[in-house]
Amino acid sequence: MVYDLFIWYRMLVIFEKDLERRKQNRMFVESRIQTFYAHWNKILEESGGDYVIGKKLTHADFWLASFVQIWDDPMEGNGPVLSPGFQQPSQADAFLNYTDNFPALKAHKEKVTSIPQIKEWIKKRPKTSA
C-alpha cells in the first residue's frame, strides 16, 4: 500500500513530462492518499490511545509517522535527481500538510516526531536527494 503510493507518485507525477497529464495523474494519486489517510485516521481514532495499538508505542507508529512526515514535511535539500527532459516537481505536485484534513493522523505524527530522540535526529539528519 505505501510502496504503491511512492511508485504511483514517482511514475505518474514526477516522471510525467506532459504537464496536463501530470495534473490529472496527481489527482489520481491524491485520491489514493485520501483513501489511505482516511483508513489510518480511523484506525488511530478507534485505537483508544495515542498510538496505532492503543497506549503503547510500537514499530508501526514509527513507520506510520515517518511515512506521513515524508509527504507532509519533506526534508530540505535537493529535490529528486531527474534525467534531462524531466521537469522538477513543483509545490503544486506536493502534498504538503495534507494531514490537516486528518486530525488523528496529524496528532499521531506530531506525537511520535516530538519524542526527544526522534526530534533530535530529525534536526541533525543529513539532507539528501530524494
Side-chain angles (χ1 to χ4, degrees):
M1 171 167 55
V2 170
Y3 180 74
D4 292 344
L5 277 176
F6 282 122
I7 294 300
W8 291 335
Y9 182 68
R10 290 182 71 167
M11 297 305 295
L12 299 175
V13 179
I14 301 301
F15 294 127
E16 177 56 61
K17 291 182 180 180
D18 180 284
L19 295 180
E20 188 55 39
R21 283 190 58 182
R22 186 180 205 163
K23 188 190 285 185
Q24 292 169 355
N25 291 345
R26 188 201 180 281
M27 290 182 347
F28 167 76
V29 172
E30 182 173 15
S31 74
R32 303 309 333 138
I33 290 175
Q34 177 87 18
T35 299
F36 294 150
Y37 275 27
H39 178 73
W40 293 325
N41 196 71
K42 183 177 179 187
I43 287 171
L44 289 164
E45 288 174 342
E46 294 174 350
S47 73
D50 295 325
Y51 301 111
V52 174
I53 305 175
K55 297 179 186 337
K56 187 174 181 184
L57 183 66
T58 66
H59 180 77
D61 296 295
F62 291 114
W63 171 87
L64 182 57
S66 174
F67 173 76
V68 170
Q69 187 184 32
I70 289 168
W71 295 93
D72 252 20
D73 316 306
M75 289 192 314
E76 294 177 26
N78 297 328
V81 177
L82 300 174
S83 300
F86 289 97
Q87 190 173 22
Q88 286 292 329
S90 69
Q91 290 284 53
D93 297 323
F95 295 96
L96 304 175
N97 301 312
Y98 204 71
T99 54
D100 287 350
N101 302 316
F102 304 92
L105 190 57
K106 182 175 184 166
H108 176 268
K109 178 196 73 166
E110 290 171 354
K111 181 153 183 95
V112 173
T113 59
S114 68
I115 294 170
Q117 296 89 333
I118 302 297
K119 189 174 185 174
E120 183 62 30
W121 169 248
I122 290 170
K123 199 183 304 181
K124 71 177 184 181
R125 68 184 169 194
K127 294 178 179 156
T128 60
S129 296

